[in-house]
Structures are given as C-alpha cells and as structure tokens.
Amino acid sequence: DSGVTQTPKHLITATGQRVTLRCSPRSGDLSVYWYQQSLDQGLQFLIHYYNGEERAKGNILERFSAQQFPDLHSELNLSSLELGDSALYFCASSVARATNTGELFFGEGSRLTVL
Amino acid sequence: GENVEQHPSTLSVQEGDSAVIKCTYSDSASNYFPWYKQELGKRPQLIIDIRSNVGEKKDQRIAVTLNKTAKHFSLHITETQPEDSAVYFCAAIGSARQLTFGSGTQLTVLP
C-alpha cells in the first residue's frame, strides 16, 4: 500500500459526460501529480500541484482541469468525454516540491471507460 | 520538451538469465533517471534511480548505468526470476522539471 488513495477505482460513463477523479496523497506529501495511461501506452504526465499551487502542466487537454485543495487532496475533472479518454488515471504524490528530489508514490489508479 | 525512447517494447528471457532495457533521452539538462516497475493491474513502483553525477548504481540483482555523453541509460536485471515479470518504465527529468516516461518494456521471465 503506497498510502495514496484514489477514488473511484472504476468508472463507466458515456460520451459527452463529465467525471471527477479524486486523490488523497500520502500523509505529509505536498506534491500531487496526475498521469494518464492508455491501453498499451506509457504514462503521460498531465499536471503537478504543490501545496495547492499548480507547478507544471503536461499534455493535459483543455477539457480536463484539476485542483489541489487546502487539505492537499486533489481532483481531476474530465468533461465532454470522448471514447479516446478511456484510460487508467494515476495520481502520485511526493513530499518534495521538485520532481527530482523525491520518489513518486502512485495510487492504484482510476479506470475510466467511456462508452 | 524531454523525449524518452525505450527499447525493446517486449523482452522474454529464461529464468536465471540477464535482462537489459535501454532508454535514450533528448534533453541534455536531464539529471534524474528513475525506473519504475508495474505488475499487471498494479501501480507503478520505483525500483531504482540514478542521478547524473553517477555512472552506475546497483541494488542486489538490479543495476542502472548512465552515459551522459550519449544520453542513454540502461536497466540490468541479473539472475531473473518469474516475479521479475512486469512492465518496466524508464523516466527522465529535463528542463521542464517533470518526469517524462518511456513507453515501457514488457519483461517476461520464462520458467
């Protein structure tokens, strides 16, 4: 158990809908990262928050948004869903502000299926 | 931005043999190179990492080498065991200060 909690574990929805994925980082971790893993694909970086502030954006679509709350949990909002958004969405946390100074601890992921 | 290429995409070895996975990166400013292991249906987990001021690092049966001049780094697993079967991802941190992952290598250790 990494200590990172993601909900829901599985989600099935229809095209055009909107969903929210939630992540609670390890106790004491201030950084939260979101990654997308499509079938047979690697891990695509979406966004990084540190202590409530956005630190960096990767290949995140405009239809997607995220935030980190004062209690450090984070939510990833996916709207106007398309079939191609079906993927496993991972949240990871670390204690460090900079990515290269701490191990990333991944949650178990939220599997999104868009029909 | 950083681009990380990983080879091979699949690798099968006999139990007890060695396995080598290679990655190249594009950003010469990259200074941190972790390797993650992802078992089927599970989350990625860090298995070893190396920083740019070191050429090699070992941890029991796992070693990573780094060639900064050529901008490539490799994962070496010796005396492979069935539980080593998984997808392995290399990653690098470049100027954007974010982890860029390779596309992964599916390692299968045959008994």
Side-chain angles (χ1 to χ4, degrees), chain A residues 37 48 99-100 104 106-107, chain B residues 36 38 43 51 97-98:
Chain A
Q37 187 174 41
H48 170 204
T99 313
N100 64 344
L104 294 191
F106 283 82
Chain B
Y36 282 79
Q38 186 178 24
R43 59 188 173 86
R51 299 191 183 276
R97 315 309 294 169
Q98 294 301 328

Side-chain angles (χ1 to χ4, degrees), chain B residues 4-70:
Chain B
V4 177
E5 295 193 357
Q6 184 172 346
H7 300 281
S9 56
T10 61
L11 178 61
S12 293
V13 299
Q14 290 294 138
E15 183 177 356
D17 286 351
S18 295
V20 180
I21 302 171
K22 299 182 179 182
C23 290
T24 60
Y25 60 97
S26 61
D27 189 342
S28 56
S30 293
N31 60 6
Y32 177 63
F33 308 90
W35 287 86
Y36 282 79
K37 175 183 179 182
Q38 186 178 24
E39 297 178 4
L40 186 63
K42 300 288 183 65
R43 59 188 173 86
Q45 290 185 269
L46 179 72
I47 56 171
I48 195 168
D49 57 12
I50 190 169
R51 299 191 183 276
S52 58
N53 58 346
V54 175
E56 182 176 1
K57 184 177 179 180
K58 284 183 92 170
D59 182 3
Q60 299 182 336
R61 296 186 298 106
I62 294 174
V64 57
T65 59
L66 171 65
N67 183 327
K68 285 191 65 180
T69 302

